[in-house]
């Protein structure tokens, strides 16, 4: 019994290996697709390495304001204590009024002891660019006629955005001073977080996050959309003992192997051109890999669904355009209507950028929300693809 | 000759019925095929030839058919059974275009298909070379992309692939369609040759009635019913006068003349086979031959030439189908 099973597994393994060999043979017939997949991403990275500036976008910058103003302030000169906070709300109003800032939240540390931690968490995830901190002596200084102080912690991983952030915070201060008839003398203390060290390629980091996920996903898609639909002899293969699952599995294995090579190329090119990776290089590899895998999953799904090559191409274009438009690259997910936002959440590309950003510039582990969504979406596509392929009729 | 012991029973079909969405496609079909036989499956388009073969090759789900079917003593239907049957049978589909890797060479195609039976590369190539030689596939094409081969060569490569695992039964769907007229006989001869050398049982679905020449048994299907299943010789002998006929070439042949000849009391059948040519079957041809000629001449019909012959399978097929149509017409 057991020997039988072992023999069965052995022949199955033999068949799968041979089917994988067949896939590589089919790839070799038309090697252009493969070359494009392997050479374009590293090539683009090298090209972009020479480009130092990233294009800015004029959208308001998301911020959280944390106020310490109502905490007990002890005057170091006369040791009197005070909890004045009359100017907190007027400043908040100014932030709200500024066109350059988008107030995402306000925490008062008097009521909420973990205000700072919560705000930092948001900065880490990438929901906000800046934390504006209203210091404890804010109202006291202004009431006594001293120049006011505002502190801010800026996500400086995107170099060109640093100045934008500072300008935006200044904008809120100007509005505040004007509206409250205060002396325009003000001090802004800036703390940078997630900076790319200056000996690395600052521009590349920014572009890498924007371009790479789209490129990896798209290329994996293109590589696989025709793989099932154009292989006519499958119908005859199915009149041999080979199983549908073995045919399909060998396709996943083959293209996963291609992805490995592609990722090695990408990482090498990125390192060679001075990409700064705050997190671990293996985790970045993993992040790129899962994005590519979701592309393969999407591609094979389209291929299993299509009746002809033309149909596969059309389906690819339609789905790819939707996936790009709703990826958050053009329109931030947050500003979409709720139903579009929910739909965008199940599209792979919406999670690809945040994942790469998080690993590359924040140094987070890949094993977080976006990774799991990508994994889940890919596996769901895999399961549906198997079902569709099982239902697909092959006649000789 | 062929041994009809149960041990040698390769395909057994008993009371097979096939339904698609309540529509009955195959109606109570039964036949037995023994080791080494070549079976020709004939019938006009839509008769159900492909459907029967698809039952035998595990391509139709069990819920669509009823009856007893065994192929190499295994019943198709269950998953494990299907894979056991698929190991033992070969299939040569009608269109190579859709069923072979056109950009790969014949030998690579062989390797891919052979691997599914667990045959290692070296072994597969050895068997393939032997088969290619039997089939006269030019050696300099073995490593070229398949798309560069001629139609007949592709067909033969396809046959070789169907035989790569030495199957007990080989199913061929229209092996001669799309091949030019004189190559058709070549293909049929190759099949006969392979059948003799390897002892492979073969099923040939075809519209090409000439193919009966190489068949041990012929099956005639009409609208899902099996009309006949026997050797072509026996079928032809079942005609009047054991299938002997007289062929006349007649001046100004028309329907009126044919009708007149049909009125000859012993006339069994007439078929028009050319502009001026008819073939006439009569009862006891030997005794009544001169009588028939007398009758024709007496009716002022001018005979240009005449000859005696034995009906071929094509003629038998036509008469048999006509007979069935007339029977059906009367029933209505
Ligand atoms: N899957 C199906 N669903 C419904 N009807 C079917 C199906 N497959 C075949 N048929 C019908 O069954 C009948 C027999 O078809 P089949 O393909 O067996 O004919 P055939 O004898 O092989 O004809 P041909 O010589 O044209 O290939 C046809 O009327 C066809 O329309
Ligand atoms: Mg058919």
């Amino acid at each position: 019994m057991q020997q039988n099973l072992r023999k069965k597994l052995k022949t199955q393994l033999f068949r799968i290996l041979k089917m994988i060999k067949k896939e590589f043979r089919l790839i070799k017939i038309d090697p252009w697709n493969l070359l494009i997949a392997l050479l374009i991403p590293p090539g683009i990275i090298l090209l972009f390495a020479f480009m130092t500036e990233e294009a800015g976008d004029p959208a308001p910058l998301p911020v959280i304001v944390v106020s310490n103003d109502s905490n007990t302030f002890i005057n170091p000169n006369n040791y009197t204590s005070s909890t004045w906070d009359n100017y907190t709300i007027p400043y908040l109003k100014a932030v709200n009024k500024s066109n350059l800032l988008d107030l995402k939240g306000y925490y008062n540390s008097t009521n909420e002891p973990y205000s700072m931690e919560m705000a930092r968490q948001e900065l880490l995830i990438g929901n906000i660019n800046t934390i504006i901190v209203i210091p404890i002596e804010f109202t006291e200084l202004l009431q006594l006629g001293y120049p006011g102080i505002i502190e801010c912690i800026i996500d400086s991983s995107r170099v060109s955005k640093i100045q934008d952030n500072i300008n935006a915070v200044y904008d809120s201060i100007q509005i505040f001073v004007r509206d409250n008839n205060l002396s325009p003398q003000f001090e802004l203390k800036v703390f940078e977080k997630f900076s790319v060290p200056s000996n690395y390629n600052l521009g590349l980091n920014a572009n890498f996050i924007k371009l790479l996920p789209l490129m990896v996903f798209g290329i994996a898609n293109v590589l696989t959309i025709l793989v099932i639909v154009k292989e006519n002899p499958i119908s005859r293969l199915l009149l041999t003992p080979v199983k549908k699952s073995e045919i399909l599995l060998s396709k996943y294995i083959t293209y996963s192997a291609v992805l490995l090579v592609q990722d090695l190329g990408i990482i090498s090119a990125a390192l060679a051109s001075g990409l700064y990776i705050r997190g671990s290089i293996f985790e970045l590899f993993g992040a790129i890999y899962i994005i590519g895998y979701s592309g393969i999953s999407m591609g094979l799904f389209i291929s299993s669904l299509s009746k002809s090559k033309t149909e596969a191409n059309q389906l690819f274009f339609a789905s790819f355009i939707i996936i790009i438009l709703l990826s958050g690259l053009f329109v931030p997910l947050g500003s979409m209507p709720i139903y579009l936002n929910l739909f965008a959440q199940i599209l792979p590309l919406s999670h690809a950028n945040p994942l790469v950003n998080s690993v590359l510039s924040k140094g987070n582990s890949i094993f977080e929300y976006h990774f799991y969504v990508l994994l889940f979406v890919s596996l769901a596509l895999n399961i549906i693809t198997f079902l569709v392929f099982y239902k697909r009729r092959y006649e000789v | 000759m062929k041994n009809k012991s149960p041990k040698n029973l390769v395909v057994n079909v008993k009371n097979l019925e096939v339904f698609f969405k309540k529509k009955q496609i195959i109606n109570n079909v039964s036949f037995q095929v023994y080791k080494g036989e070549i079976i020709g499956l004939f019938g006009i388009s839509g008769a159900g030839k492909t459907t029967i073969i698809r039952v035998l090759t595990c391509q139709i789900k069990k819920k669509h058919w009823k009856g007893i079917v065994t192929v190499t003593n295994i019943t198709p239907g269950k998953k494990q059974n299907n894979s056991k049957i698929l190991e033992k049978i070969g299939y040569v589909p009608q269109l190579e275009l859709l069923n072979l890797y056109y950009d790969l060479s014949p030998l690579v195609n062989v390797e891919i298909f052979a691997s599914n039976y667990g045959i290692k590369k070296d072994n597969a190539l050895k068997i393939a070379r032997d088969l290619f030689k039997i089939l006269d596939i030019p050696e300099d094409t073995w490593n070229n992309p398949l798309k560069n081969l001629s139609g007949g060569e592709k067909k033969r490569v396809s046959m070789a692939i169907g035989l790569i695992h030495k199957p007990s039964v080989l199913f061929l769907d229209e092996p001669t369609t799309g091949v030019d007229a004189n190559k058709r006989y070549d293909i049929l001869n190759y099949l006969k040759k392979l059948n003799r050398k390897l002892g492979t049982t073969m099923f040939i679905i075809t519209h090409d009635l000439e193919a009966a020449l190489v068949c041990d048994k012929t099956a005639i299907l009409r609208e899902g019913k099996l009309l006949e299943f026997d050797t072509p010789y026996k079928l032809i002998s079942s005609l009047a006068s054991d299938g002997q006929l007289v062929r006349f070439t007649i001046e100004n042949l028309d329907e009126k003349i044919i009708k007149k000849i049909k009125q000859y009391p012993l006339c069994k059948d007439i078929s028009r086979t050319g502009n001026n040519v008819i073939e006439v079957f009569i009862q006891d041809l030997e005794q009544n031959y001169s009588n028939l000629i007398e009758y024709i001449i007496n009716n002022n019909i001018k005979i240009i030439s005449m000859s005696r012959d034995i009906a071929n399978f094509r003629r038998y097929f036509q008469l048999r189908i006509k007979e069935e149509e007339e029977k059906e017409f009367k029933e209505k």
Side-chain angles (χ1 to χ4, degrees), chain A residues 288-306:
Chain A
I288 300 173
Y289 196 86
I290 188 77
I291 295 167
Y293 187 75
S294 69
I296 285 181
S297 302
M298 190 70 200
L300 286 173
F301 170 64
I302 288 174
S303 203
S304 71
L305 218 56
S306 311

Side-chain angles (χ1 to χ4, degrees), chain B residues 75-116:
Chain B
T75 304
K78 279 199 214 115
K79 265 225 167 98
Q80 308 115 293
N81 285 7
N82 287 356
S83 52
K84 274 184 201 153
I85 291 177
L86 290 176
E87 273 169 29
K88 293 184 179 174
I89 63 169
Y91 196 109
V92 181
Q94 188 176 348
L95 303 168
E96 289 78 39
L97 173 64
L98 297 178
N99 294 295
L100 293 174
Y101 294 95
Y102 255 38
D103 296 299
L104 302 175
S105 72
L107 286 180
V108 172
N109 267 282
V110 164
E111 196 193 323
I112 290 171
F113 279 91
S115 69
N116 289 340

Side-chain angles (χ1 to χ4, degrees), chain B residues 138-202:
Chain B
E139 198 157 344
D140 56 342
T141 63
W142 294 2
N143 287 306
N144 286 351
L146 194 75
K147 59 182 173 205
N148 297 346
L149 273 65
S150 79
E153 286 163 355
K154 285 189 199 110
K155 193 116 233 167
R156 283 176 274 157
V157 169
S158 182
M159 286 178 188
I161 287 172
L163 287 164
I164 195 71
H165 57 299
K166 307 203 163 115
S168 313
V169 199
L170 181 67
F171 295 90
L172 299 116
D173 198 346
E174 310 271 6
T176 56
T177 22
V179 180
D180 71 61
N182 34 28
K183 295 268 168 59
R184 269 170 32 206
Y185 292 102
D186 288 347
I187 297 271
L188 293 172
N189 285 331
Y190 284 124
L191 288 175
K192 191 83 193 171
K193 198 163 152 191
L194 290 167
N195 165 261
R196 290 228 193 89
K197 288 212 170 165
L198 311 172
T200 316
T201 310
M202 292 184 181

Side-chain angles (χ1 to χ4, degrees), chain B residues 45-46 48-51 94 173-174 205 207:
Chain B
S45 195
K49 306 179 293 291
T50 304
T51 306
Q94 188 176 348
D173 198 346
E174 310 271 6
I205 298 185
H207 287 117

Side-chain angles (χ1 to χ4, degrees), chain B residues 200-213:
Chain B
T200 316
T201 310
M202 292 184 181
F203 262 89
I204 307 177
I205 298 185
T206 183
H207 287 117
D208 182 2
L209 294 162
E210 257 45 80
L213 282 174

Side-chain angles (χ1 to χ4, degrees), chain A residues 201-273:
Chain A
N201 191 333
L202 308 180
L204 178 61
N205 265 55
N207 288 314
F208 191 87
I209 296 167
K210 269 197 205 159
L211 285 179
L212 195 83
L214 181 62
M215 199 159 60
V216 168
F217 179 81
I219 287 177
N221 241 221
V222 171
L223 200 58
T224 46
I225 45 165
L226 294 182
V227 160
I228 295 173
V229 47
K230 89 172 172 194
E231 191 180 345
N232 291 320
I234 287 180
S235 52
R236 186 165 182 184
L237 287 180
L238 290 173
L239 287 176
T240 70
V242 78
K243 307 214 164 48
K244 275 189 170 176
S245 55
E246 294 168 354
I247 294 176
L248 196 52
L249 189 64
S250 63
K251 292 189 189 297
Y252 279 103
I253 295 174
T254 305
Y255 286 94
S256 300
V258 170
L259 270 192
L260 275 181
V261 179
Q262 186 198 48
D263 282 11
L264 282 176
I266 290 173
I267 298 273
S268 313
L271 288 180
S273 40

Side-chain angles (χ1 to χ4, degrees), chain A residues 46-292:
Chain A
L46 292 173
L47 278 178
F48 269 93
F50 297 108
M51 194 175 124
T52 41
E53 276 308 310
E54 68 168 305
D57 52 66
L61 301 163
V63 293
I64 282 181
V65 176
V66 174
S67 170
N68 298 323
D69 204 12
S70 53
N71 291 357
T72 311
F73 171 68
I74 298 176
N75 188 326
N77 298 327
N78 52 19
Y79 301 105
T80 54
S81 63
S82 58
T83 56
W84 300 348
D85 60 357
N86 318 358
Y87 279 113
T88 307
I89 298 300
Y91 178 69
L92 269 179
K93 281 186 179 155
V95 171
N96 217 0
K97 216 165 157 184
S98 166
N99 289 328
L100 303 180
L101 291 172
D102 175 14
L103 182 59
K104 289 286 181 191
Y106 163 65
Y107 303 133
N108 186 337
S109 68
T110 313
N111 313 327
E112 176 55 76
Y114 294 107
S115 299
M116 220 37 226
E117 283 71 15
M118 283 157 56
R120 279 176 194 281
Q121 188 57 35
E122 296 289 306
L123 191 66
L124 185 64
I125 307 170
N127 283 350
I128 56 169
N129 280 19
T130 299
I131 306 172
I132 297 177
V133 183
I134 304 177
I136 193 165
E137 68 274 38
F138 185 63
T139 303
E140 281 83 353
L141 289 175
L142 291 172
Q143 294 254 342
L144 299 173
Y146 291 100
I149 297 178
I150 285 286
E151 295 166 0
C152 63
I153 302 169
I154 295 179
D155 175 352
S156 52
S157 61
R158 299 171 70 183
V159 166
S160 67
K161 284 288 164 73
I162 297 177
Q163 199 52 51
D164 289 351
N165 279 293
I166 296 173
N167 291 347
V169 178
Y170 263 121
D171 185 53
S172 71
I173 292 173
Q174 275 168 1
I175 294 171
F176 173 65
V177 167
R178 191 173 352 107
D179 288 1
N180 296 280
N181 295 319
L182 293 169
S183 124
Q185 282 174 311
F186 235 90
E187 191 179 339
L188 179 62
K189 284 188 187 163
V190 177
F191 302 88
E192 294 185 3
K193 200 152 164 48
F194 308 128
S195 303
V196 174
S198 57
N199 51 335
Y200 286 89
N201 191 333
L202 308 180
L204 178 61
N205 265 55
N207 288 314
F208 191 87
I209 296 167
K210 269 197 205 159
L211 285 179
L212 195 83
L214 181 62
M215 199 159 60
V216 168
F217 179 81
I219 287 177
N221 241 221
V222 171
L223 200 58
T224 46
I225 45 165
L226 294 182
V227 160
I228 295 173
V229 47
K230 89 172 172 194
E231 191 180 345
N232 291 320
I234 287 180
S235 52
R236 186 165 182 184
L237 287 180
L238 290 173
L239 287 176
T240 70
V242 78
K243 307 214 164 48
K244 275 189 170 176
S245 55
E246 294 168 354
I247 294 176
L248 196 52
L249 189 64
S250 63
K251 292 189 189 297
Y252 279 103
I253 295 174
T254 305
Y255 286 94
S256 300
V258 170
L259 270 192
L260 275 181
V261 179
Q262 186 198 48
D263 282 11
L264 282 176
I266 290 173
I267 298 273
S268 313
L271 288 180
S273 40
L275 181 78
Y276 174 68
I277 306 170
R278 182 173 291 274
S280 119
I281 186 167
F282 299 106
E283 304 216 10
L284 180 63
F285 189 94
I288 300 173
Y289 196 86
I290 188 77
I291 295 167

